[in-house]
Amino acid sequence: MKKFLRTVLLILCICVMCYSGFQLYKIYSGYAQANKTYASASEKFVKPNTQDHAKPDRETNPTEPKNVAPIQVDFDALLQENEDVVGWIYCPDTALNFPIIQGSDNDYYLRRMWNGEYNYSGCIFMDYRCDEKFADYNSIIYGHNMNNDGMFALLEDYLDQEYFEKHPVIYLLTPEADYKIDVMAAVLTDANSDLYDFPISRNGFDEFMEKVMAQSELSVQTDLQSVEHTVTLSTCAYEFQDARYLVVGSLKPLDRVKQ
């Protein structure tokens, strides 16, 4: 009987190991598929901006340098493949280079890539309650904190002052306009934080920014009165239950070079 029980236990252990191995294979093969899909999207729809940022625009103003994003996005082609695309987010010298999607809720794209295909990695998506043209006082964008450093894994790095100083600007491009996000704050908070609120008045927005700056891990000099719109980037953190990393930045319009 003891030998039989040991045999059964051994078989159960092997089954558990096989199941766990299969689940890990599914997760990491999903990571690989997501990496391939997003790399393909970047190659297909994004190209470097050949406009020299320091070179004056001779046609419109011979003395004022043009303030442009370092990339261009073919939104006409991108929207033909998914009409839920609302933008593209990019940070130089990092892995952040993804389309931004907005669904009818905050669940659909949680485990779907930008093309709608199911994948554990999900995609970068904007809160369904936000204006798709980023006209709100504060727009919230979500992404997973991936173990392979993909999606919004870099948000944790922004809690480090030195990392922030090397990457103070994130670019956000939309079908209508290009923007830069001047990072103002990096916060470790919880999923129920009032930093997820949507200010609907200037007074409410001022209060929101004061709370953000008070909780920030960074030392940043910002004239809050000059800030008109912000973008909040959000991802999961693991310091405590329901923890979140937030990076908040001032949204400022850029010039756009004709494609």
Side-chain angles (χ1 to χ4, degrees), residues 146-190:
M146 305 300 294
N147 292 330
N148 63 351
D149 295 328
M151 296 296 162
F152 271 178
L154 85 168
L155 297 193
E156 177 181 1
D157 297 330
Y158 270 96
L159 273 70
D160 178 71
Q161 183 74 24
E162 184 177 351
Y163 184 88
F164 154 71
E165 290 174 358
K166 292 180 179 178
H167 307 89
V169 176
I170 298 171
Y171 293 92
L172 191 156
L173 290 75
T174 76
E176 295 79 23
D178 295 346
Y179 302 91
K180 66 174 180 175
I181 301 171
D182 286 331
V183 175
M184 299 164 38
V187 179
L188 174 63
T189 187
D190 64 84

Side-chain angles (χ1 to χ4, degrees), residues 11 27 63 75 91 112 116 136 143 207 231 239 242 245 251:
I11 292 173
I27 291 173
T63 59
F75 281 106
C91 185
R112 287 178 173 84
D136 293 318
E207 292 177 3
V231 172
E239 276 78 356
D242 293 328
Y245 295 121
L251 187 67

Side-chain angles (χ1 to χ4, degrees), residues 185-258:
V187 179
L188 174 63
T189 187
D190 64 84
N192 297 314
S193 169
D194 56 6
L195 299 185
Y196 284 101
D197 291 346
F198 296 95
I200 59 174
S201 67
R202 181 68 210 194
N203 287 339
F205 184 51
D206 290 341
E207 292 177 3
F208 163 79
M209 287 192 291
E210 289 176 1
K211 291 178 183 177
V212 167
M213 300 306 289
Q215 297 180 45
S216 177
E217 301 286 340
L218 300 178
S219 176
V220 182
Q221 297 298 319
T222 303
D223 178 10
L224 297 184
Q225 292 303 312
S226 67
V227 178
E228 298 182 355
H229 302 278
T230 55
V231 172
T232 296
L233 310 180
S234 170
T235 196
C236 291
Y238 304 104
E239 276 78 356
F240 51 86
Q241 186 173 0
D242 293 328
R244 298 291 187 271
Y245 295 121
L246 303 182
V247 170
V248 183
S250 173
L251 187 67
K252 297 180 180 179
L254 299 173
D255 297 314
R256 171 171 278 182
V257 177
K258 294 182 179 180

Side-chain angles (χ1 to χ4, degrees), residues 55-66:
K55 184 178 179 181
D57 181 8
R58 302 299 183 186
E59 294 182 2
T60 59
N61 191 324
T63 59
E64 190 70 19
K66 209 165 182 64

Side-chain angles (χ1 to χ4, degrees), residues 116-131:
E117 181 180 342
Y118 184 86
N119 189 290
Y120 185 83
S121 298
C123 67
I124 305 298
F125 64 96
M126 185 162 70
D127 195 294
Y128 75 99
R129 294 165 292 184
C130 292
D131 182 272

